[in-house]
Amino acid sequence: MITLLKSATIIDTHSKYHNQTKDILIVDGIIKEINDIISQKENYQIVELPDLKVSTGWFDSSVSFGEPGYEERETLNNGLDTAAKSGFTSVAVNANTQPVIDNKSAVEYLINKATFKATDIYPIGALTQQSKGVEMAELYDMQQSGAVAFGDYKKPIENDNLMKIALLYAQNFNGLVMSFPKNNAIAGEGVANEGVNATILGLKGIPALAEEIQVARDLFLLEYTDGKLHIPTISTAKSVKLIKEAKKKGLQVTCSVAIHNLLLNDEELHGFDAKVKVNPPLRTKEDVKAIQKAVKEGVIDIITSDHNPIDVEEKKVEFSIAKDGTIGLESAFSALNTIFDIDIITKCISENPRKIFGLPSLKINEGETASLSLFTTEGDYIFSEKNIFSNSKNSIFLNRKLKGKAYGIYNNKQLVLN
């Protein structure tokens, strides 16, 4: 199949065509020609869309699909289709399945199930067996089978020595260790950010300290082991400060933030809507401001949707017992486009995550493999259920005003448009 993208504005700071509007001819998955005007032929698949922009393929570093074990939340097939329609050419899939992805066979199962899909799948293996935090999982074997990192999704490693050993052991094969930033003893039974709003509403609070003390511990262990660490989904101003200082010291630490923690604060708690119950919780306006600044300064490396489908039975219940999590793939770009310029967005959802997770870099130049996200930055709209492709509908951004949208992707010699 020969595909021709007409009048596409190229967003790629590493390409000589950056910010230029060109026609792009793709032949058998390779960018054959980039020019002002490329004449159409009958056998061409033509893509001509309003305000079409293309960037190197987006990579979401934290996505949960239910399969295996929780197919009622989401299947791999529909999940990957959702990612493609949302503009993502690659997703890193968390190990929170049943059984947990903690061995090479489980990693290979995910990869094999995704064969022939437009969106690539990269498993994150569990750091500990069954994500129970007791014994380390088969990290090396999982990496040899295709795992790109190791972490227990939303489960902190409470055993300090276990985290130390993991950071040391992973150095033998350049493995990336992930540590969820939460101290359960301090967080206790909290369900929302500890602060004025939780107090007014009578909700048990999760102090910012619960995150920050875990970040501090992990950074001390990182300095001791001289290892490589990724801290997913930070949410407080002090966490930013700690990580910034660690980077200045030269420690190999990277971090991410979930999109909802970038845009929303704990004032959303009023109304007791379980859609806004996430982990880490929505923090204060001051935290949100600090997190946004950290993205612009490059202290925070990656932005993730932290896509986590939850079935209605576990969300449409009393706030305090509702399950944490929100889907986010479908709203990811449109939400980010309300606060950041396109160069920051593409750096944090394409360039940086690929580098950190050890994937080859991408470029939009003639002769390069075509792995492209297609989108527009124009047009406001209200995000509603008709914009959701996931089986689960638990979106924190439902009924919110967003801007621009993903059109789809070209990847693996396939064009997917929503």
Side-chain angles (χ1 to χ4, degrees):
M1 178 67 74
I2 298 174
T3 302
L4 178 60
L5 308 182
K6 296 293 291 181
S7 299
T9 302
I10 295 170
I11 308 297
D12 179 6
T13 56
H14 299 288
S15 169
K16 65 181 181 181
Y17 302 108
H18 180 52
N19 280 336
Q20 297 180 36
T21 301
K22 300 285 186 180
D23 286 1
I24 303 173
L25 185 67
I26 303 169
V27 180
D28 198 28
I30 303 296
I31 300 173
K32 188 76 171 176
E33 183 182 356
I34 300 176
N35 220 322
D36 290 337
I37 297 177
I38 299 174
S39 57
Q40 304 178 19
K41 295 184 180 177
E42 280 187 17
N43 63 327
Y44 285 7
Q45 182 180 39
I46 307 296
V47 178
E48 200 162 6
L49 295 163
D51 183 52
L52 175 60
K53 292 180 172 66
V54 299
S55 72
T56 53
W58 304 341
F59 175 33
D60 195 328
S61 64
S62 178
V63 170
S64 298
F65 296 142
E67 190 175 356
Y70 302 111
E71 286 82 357
E72 72 280 3
R73 297 177 189 171
E74 188 59 281
T75 63
L76 281 168
N77 186 58
N78 191 65
L80 289 168
D81 287 346
T82 296
K85 292 174 183 176
S86 304
F88 291 90
T89 60
S90 305
V91 292
V93 178
N94 295 307
N96 57 330
T97 52
Q98 183 60 41
V100 171
I101 310 301
D102 65 355
N103 59 77
K104 60 183 287 186
S105 298
V107 169
E108 289 165 0
Y109 169 83
L110 286 183
I111 293 172
N112 291 335
K113 283 281 286 189
T115 306
F116 308 123
K117 301 297 289 186
T119 294
D120 297 312
I121 194 169
Y122 294 97
I124 295 172
L127 185 64
T128 65
Q129 292 177 27
Q130 299 177 56
S131 288
K132 289 185 174 179
V134 178
E135 294 184 47
M136 199 161 58
E138 303 167 2
L139 308 191
Y140 178 72
D141 285 351
M142 285 193 286
Q143 189 190 58
Q144 292 301 295
S145 294
V148 292
F150 310 99
D152 294 347
Y153 183 66
K154 303 297 184 188
K155 293 183 177 181
I157 303 299
E158 296 178 354
N159 185 319
D160 305 331
N161 193 52
L162 181 61
M163 177 55 68
K164 182 197 79 174
I165 292 169
L167 286 166
L168 287 168
Y169 175 65
Q171 292 177 50
N172 294 310
F173 48 91
N174 198 32
L176 179 63
V177 171
M178 300 170 65
S179 178
F180 183 61
K182 184 179 182 182
N183 181 297
N184 279 334
I186 291 175
E189 296 179 358
V191 296
N193 179 59
E194 183 182 83
V196 173
N197 289 299
T199 302
I200 290 171
L201 297 169
L203 296 172
K204 292 182 180 178
I206 301 173
L209 177 66
E211 174 173 309
E212 295 150 4
I213 200 167
Q214 194 80 353
V215 169
R217 181 209 70 167
D218 287 341
L219 292 175
F220 270 115
L221 291 173
L222 182 65
E223 188 170 17
Y224 178 82
T225 59
D226 197 25
K228 186 167 69 168
L229 176 69
H230 179 69
I231 303 176
T233 59
I234 65 169
S235 66
T236 78
K238 186 68 178 290
S239 292
V240 167
K241 185 179 177 185
L242 290 166
I243 291 167
K244 186 175 184 177
E245 290 169 355
K247 287 187 171 190
K248 281 182 181 175
K249 285 183 181 178
L251 301 187
Q252 291 187 81
V253 60
T254 55
C255 63
S256 71
V257 62
I259 293 169
H260 43 270
N261 289 110
L262 269 171
L263 276 85
L264 306 175
N265 62 65
D266 61 355
E267 289 182 1
E268 301 290 338
L269 294 170
H270 295 271
F272 297 98
D273 190 338
K275 286 200 303 290
V276 305
K277 191 183 182 196
V278 288
N279 186 17
L282 300 180
R283 300 291 187 181
T284 66
K285 285 182 179 177
E286 292 73 27
D287 288 313
V288 170
K289 190 175 178 181
I291 292 280
Q292 290 184 4
K293 183 181 177 186
V295 168
K296 293 174 182 174
E297 292 179 344
V299 178
I300 293 176
D301 308 273
I302 295 174
I303 301 172
T304 173
S305 72
D306 203 20
H307 182 83
N308 190 8
I310 307 294
D311 39 326
V312 67
E313 290 84 357
E314 295 182 292
K315 267 295 184 185
K316 288 223 168 182
V317 292
E318 184 183 332
F319 188 93
S320 61
I321 60 172
K323 194 171 178 65
D324 299 323
T326 175
I327 57 171
L329 284 168
E330 299 96 322
S331 56
F333 173 73
S334 299
L336 289 178
N337 193 42
T338 64
I339 55 169
F340 294 132
D341 68 45
I342 192 60
D343 288 346
I344 289 176
I345 294 172
T346 53
K347 186 165 190 175
C348 291
I349 67 173
S350 178
E351 182 182 342
N352 285 353
R354 293 189 71 86
K355 187 188 303 178
I356 289 164
F357 281 79
L359 307 182
S361 60
L362 301 171
K363 289 190 182 70
I364 303 179
N365 282 324
E366 291 175 349
E368 297 282 349
T369 299
S371 179
L372 306 171
S373 296
L374 284 59
F375 58 96
T376 173
T377 54
E378 301 299 320
D380 296 339
Y381 71 104
I382 302 298
F383 186 78
S384 66
E385 280 205 18
K386 71 178 184 182
N387 304 114
I388 294 176
F389 311 115
S390 301
N391 288 336
S392 295
K393 310 301 178 187
N394 57 304
S395 172
I396 200 169
F397 287 107
L398 269 174
N399 303 318
R400 297 181 192 275
K401 187 178 180 181
L402 304 181
K403 181 184 178 185
K405 67 174 182 176
Y407 284 133
I409 63 171
Y410 183 97
N411 192 51
N412 291 335
K413 304 180 184 178
Q414 298 176 60
L415 175 70
V416 177
L417 299 176
N418 62 44

